Amino acid sequence: MTSRPDHFDISTLISLYFRTLDEREFPENWACAYFTDDVWTVTPIGTSQGIDAMWHTREAIERYARTQHMSSDVLVHTDAASGRTTASWNALMRHVHHGSTLQALGPDTQPVFTVGGVYRAELRRTPDGWRMAHMEVTAIWTTGTPPHLPSAPQPPTS
């Protein structure tokens, strides 16, 4: 069982992470506020390992003019025997295409791509608070025109 303060702290971490994505706040080392140095993630755009690989999240968000990520039903569980803490939550993610994307993809392109999904994470308590050590996103359903993904994500050129 997870304590109420821990559940609150983990739920807040998730909300702040989503808010950062939508506000496009990516200062240097932004991912350190949410993830461990050895984090690994599995998302619809690929797998990343290590805090320095989290640039792919920024790249994914910047493919859109605007986004809105909403989380709900956060469930947190700590296994007393192993001390392992996990969380899962539902997410609704709306992505508004750039005008240039709409123009390039043609008149049948829907301006909003929406994903309903589930996140799962393993968390660690660090001296700075809870951080996600593993995060996985599973898309359950989508509507609208999805992005055209590059064959392999490329790091930003700054």
Side-chain angles (χ1 to χ4, degrees), residues 29 31-41 48-54 124 126-128 131-134:
N29 298 322
C32 294
Y34 310 101
F35 301 98
T36 61
D37 287 341
D38 61 345
V39 64
W40 63 284
T41 64
S48 296
Q49 288 189 285
I51 198 77
D52 291 335
M54 292 306 297
R124 271 190 232 138
T126 73
D128 296 320
R131 298 295 184 267
M132 290 180 266
H134 170 68

Side-chain angles (χ1 to χ4, degrees), residues 24 76 90 106-107 149:
R24 297 165 184 261
V76 178
N90 293 320
L149 301 176

